Amino acid sequence: MTTTPSMFHFSLPLITTYNPNYLFITKTVFYIMKKLLISLQFILLFFHCHGLRMPWDQRAFEALFHGEPSQKISTRPQIVITNPPSQQEQAETLYSTATQLHSFRLKSIYHHASDNGPIPGLFRKLDISQEREQEIRTTSFDSDDSGSQQSTFEIRSKMGDTYRPAYPDALYQLYKYDAINTQRHQFMMLSSASSQEGATIDFEWAPGSLPDVQHRESVLSLAMMTNNAYNPANNDTDWYDIGAPWNLNSSFGWEDDGIRGHVFSNDDGSILVISIKGTSAGLWGGGQTGEKDKMNDNTLFSCCCAYISRAWTPVCDCFQGNNYVCETSCLQDSITHSGLYYDHALEIYKQVADEYKNSTIWLTGHSLGGAIASLVGQTFLVPTVTYEIPGERLASQRLHLPYAYNDKVNMPLWSFGHTADPIFVGVCTGPSSSCWYGGFAMETRCHAGKICVWDTVNEKNWRVDVRSHRIHDVIENIIKQPEEVFPLPVCVSENPSCADCGLWSYIDARDPPKETSSSSSSMPTSTSSPATTQTTGVPEPPNDPW
């Protein structure tokens, strides 16, 4: 329940003389009452949510809310399946050959504005008629991609493991960003270092429909859906507001702000696909939402505040000098108080899930949109297929998303990409890279879930080039090619040895200072590469390894 200021507007006695002290005291009392009520609601929700089990011994309780410096450790809640399948049920699901072909059409488009845009909080929906669908297809955002626009998409589903949160509303409230107080609630998920038990979130297992990622036409259709999400579909008259109504005619710039989700439905509405829009129009300041896309990219997929060199404007100031040292609690605090596209995509997913409670929902997206879709998918364990996304595993750790600490959860998450895309493989770094010149710090390379990789560099002699990152190029040059030329890759889990940000050292100001010997050097030693070469002193930003 969201508390609104109107709840605290009481009728006051008529005062014949102006008394500033009385008004000040009244406002102060109302403010304190409001804060106490909001805190009480959150505490009651926190205790009532049986899906979040915490170590409620006294020491852990004090560490949770007050946190002794040496014990304040950020954790990811563990996924717990409350009704794990039996061996027979697992075998039936695993070896099931039942498939079904579905025809999807664009059903609606959701638009959520950013918190610092022309209309903060704007959240709207546009229902798509056949006439509107035709208009969208004929006014493609990128003329080069017009050949990929079509009205129906064939996708094959197969039986597999699906999961639903036992308490979806409580889970949503936990990860919901409070734009008024600029605060996300994940900071509550802290446990003492001495405790072997952390927070857990309950999910329920059931056999259900998954996208068949080994069916080429299905992979192509989902990629085309991500391409279509770049279409703006602006129209001032046909949208209706999900939140408060807005006068858009006097609010220039709303269409250039925020994130969009295109919702596709099969014929009977049993399966919906939400395609999240990716980074706009390349890397050089283009597109409708280019600057905000850059801020989200640099916040989620950089090692530390998008600090690359003195010539860059970082998104926070948690780094120390030019020594590749990052302060962890500062970085966590920056993310905690920053509104992100992830938060708006979470709102879109929750709105669709609440409106179509009996439908199965899948997510898809390309580039930033795919990474955001993956983060939402990891939050609710929604089947998600993405294309050419930067490594999002570090972002999911920093957002404290639910995590399966064992192999009993078959995460329904697949990331398609090729090795000539420097963003997907995490090498779009250094002064010689296109990301550098575009102002993007896309430094992560490790993915969550399963990765499905075309090795275009070694097998096709492709040159690493950021232009091959575009979804149109992936569709035309890879997926549309014959199977014998570009066979669908086998999807496998990310290499366990994959590590992000090897150059950086992370410290925590909440930890006590460590004892150092008098003979140690005053300058930090940092690893200049994954190899054993060491450099002392102040390192320069790394060159592009390609």
Side-chain angles (χ1 to χ4, degrees), residues 281-301:
L283 295 174
W284 292 281
Q288 294 180 306
T289 60
E291 287 304 313
K292 291 185 176 65
D293 292 348
K294 184 185 299 183
M295 186 278 291
N296 276 267
D297 281 331
N298 288 349
T299 299
L300 291 175
F301 309 116

Side-chain angles (χ1 to χ4, degrees), residues 136-149 227 230-232 281 470 472 476:
I136 292 173
R137 289 192 293 115
T138 56
T139 57
S140 176
F141 176 70
D142 186 342
S143 60
D144 290 340
D145 292 346
S146 59
S148 297
Q149 303 294 320
N227 177 77
Y230 286 94
N231 289 338
R470 299 189 313 165
H472 177 73
E476 298 296 331

Side-chain angles (χ1 to χ4, degrees), residues 347-391:
E347 295 272 0
I348 292 175
Y349 168 78
K350 184 65 166 54
Q351 181 67 30
V352 175
D354 287 347
E355 187 172 353
Y356 305 98
K357 294 183 181 296
N358 297 322
S359 298
T360 296
I361 299 177
W362 301 340
L363 297 173
T364 190
H366 164 258
S367 190
L368 172 62
I372 297 301
S374 174
L375 296 177
V376 175
Q378 292 178 63
T379 305
F380 287 94
L381 296 192
V382 181
T384 305
V385 180
T386 64
Y387 299 85
E388 307 298 335
I389 67 172

Side-chain angles (χ1 to χ4, degrees), residues 437-460:
Y437 290 110
F440 285 81
M442 313 281 276
E443 300 174 292
T444 55
R445 63 190 185 93
C446 301
H447 297 84
K450 295 181 174 63
I451 53 174
C452 320
V453 184
W454 288 283
D455 190 357
T456 53
V457 171
N458 293 319
E459 296 179 1
K460 302 297 180 182

Side-chain angles (χ1 to χ4, degrees), residues 160-223:
D161 295 326
T162 62
Y163 310 92
R164 287 180 180 267
Y167 307 95
D169 290 334
L171 179 60
Y172 167 72
Q173 290 296 331
L174 183 67
Y175 284 98
K176 180 181 179 181
Y177 178 72
D178 183 355
I180 297 177
N181 297 310
T182 63
Q183 176 72 55
R184 61 181 73 249
H185 295 152
Q186 292 96 309
F187 77 100
M188 297 295 291
M189 289 186 295
L190 304 172
S191 63
S192 65
S194 60
S195 174
Q196 299 298 318
E197 183 182 1
T200 61
I201 297 182
D202 292 345
F203 284 83
E204 298 171 349
W205 172 88
S209 296
L210 298 176
D212 188 351
V213 295
Q214 293 302 310
H215 182 239
R216 194 175 196 91
E217 291 302 317
S218 299
V219 174
L220 174 60
S221 292
L222 288 167

